[in-house]
Amino acid sequence: MSSYKKVLLTFDHIFWSKNEPFIGLIRNNNKNSSWLKNEQKKSCHTTPTASCNIKSCNKEDANPVDNSQNNLGGHTDGISDKDEALGNFLFLDNLWAKDGIPCLEAVLIGDAGSWATGKSDDVIRDAVLKFMEDAMGSSVDWSSSPSSSASLSLSECCVNCHVTRWEEDTFSKGAYSGFQLGTMDWHCAELSRSEWDGHLIFAGEATHQEYEGSVHAALLSGVEGAKKIVSVAFPS
């Protein structure tokens, strides 16, 4: 089973695009190249992101092997396991655009989700913030915090962090359904069909044809299941 984690980071001010509901970040995929490390001493390479036109710029180009300021590296070569674990792409859900909350929701899936499983909130938080710093670079000013006139790091602007831990839940182990090759929509309807003359009723996200694989499906299927129970218990 694959891993899926959400990291919700709340900040004391908005430094990203306010109107974009989703933001895609791309980190320089040649970051581990020793040649690029040398080149970054001379110049700053930029790469456009997928959706918000934020440029990627390595803020550590003046000293690419020094991670002492943020204490996130853990390796003397400047490349941490956090950097490698999160890969080169990060998807952010902008809660400000939808709900007016100064919060970004980072989605960690696949290898990144597996790496985050069992890690502390602080470790995961630091890794995501480090990725954001690498991808956004000098094109974004996150130091203009209303709570302080001093120049702050991105970490200091982050006031709260919550990490989902469905894979670590004792009862579900993070299980949720997913379509494989050959799966049809009607399979969900079949899963929701009652047995034993309507006395055995099924619910759960896998039984909802429209929103399968989501919390919404689990909730809506539960409502439908409750209605079936009522109709069986009180047929009149």
Side-chain angles (χ1 to χ4, degrees):
M1 183 183 69
S2 183
S3 298
Y4 188 100
K5 283 191 178 297
K6 292 186 175 184
V7 183
L8 293 98
L9 301 169
T10 304
F11 298 89
D12 60 4
H13 69 292
I14 307 296
F15 56 84
W16 59 89
S17 176
K18 295 182 179 180
N19 298 322
E20 297 292 338
F22 305 107
I23 300 174
L25 297 181
I26 301 175
R27 180 160 54 189
N28 195 325
N29 58 9
N30 292 319
K31 186 177 179 181
N32 293 355
S33 167
S34 58
W35 172 85
L36 183 61
K37 287 182 184 179
N38 293 329
E39 289 299 306
Q40 285 173 336
K41 295 179 181 180
K42 306 174 184 177
S43 62
C44 179
H45 300 273
T46 61
T47 304
T49 66
S51 64
C52 63
N53 295 324
I54 296 175
K55 294 182 178 180
S56 171
C57 174
N58 188 349
K59 292 175 66 64
E60 297 171 339
D61 58 318
N63 189 2
V65 298
D66 183 11
N67 283 316
S68 59
Q69 290 184 345
N70 52 37
N71 196 28
L72 297 178
H75 295 277
T76 57
D77 62 0
I79 303 300
S80 72
D81 62 336
K82 302 183 184 69
D83 293 335
E84 296 172 351
L86 296 189
N88 297 312
F89 312 100
L90 186 64
F91 179 82
L92 301 176
D93 189 354
N94 180 12
L95 273 65
W96 178 266
K98 296 184 291 185
D99 304 309
I101 303 173
C103 178
L104 292 174
E105 176 189 283
V107 179
L108 306 183
I109 59 176
D111 291 340
S114 297
W115 169 84
T117 300
K119 300 290 193 304
S120 69
D121 285 6
D122 288 342
V123 169
I124 298 172
R125 167 186 176 272
D126 289 349
V128 173
L129 292 177
K130 180 63 166 56
F131 189 109
M132 292 172 62
E133 287 182 331
D134 288 342
M136 293 180 175
S138 58
S139 65
V140 174
D141 180 16
W142 49 69
S143 63
S144 302
S145 172
S147 61
S148 175
S149 59
S151 178
L152 301 177
S153 66
L154 183 57
S155 178
E156 291 172 305
C157 297
C158 182
V159 296
N160 191 35
C161 173
H162 175 74
V163 180
T164 61
R165 298 191 177 275
W166 298 311
E167 299 90 345
E168 299 162 59
D169 184 273
T170 303
F171 301 103
S172 71
K173 295 297 183 182
Y176 63 95
S177 65
F179 280 14
Q180 62 180 11
L181 185 63
T183 303
M184 307 296 290
D185 288 343
W186 58 266
H187 287 142
C188 294
E190 284 296 304
L191 286 175
S192 66
R193 188 173 60 176
S194 302
E195 301 287 348
W196 294 352
D197 295 327
H199 289 78
L200 179 59
I201 297 169
F202 299 95
E205 50 82 17
T207 67
H208 199 281
Q209 188 168 343
E210 186 173 1
Y211 299 115
E212 169 271 333
S214 70
V215 174
H216 303 78
L219 175 62
L220 294 174
S221 70
V223 172
E224 291 300 317
K227 292 179 180 178
K228 292 178 181 179
I229 292 174
V230 171
S231 66
V232 172
F234 306 98
S236 60

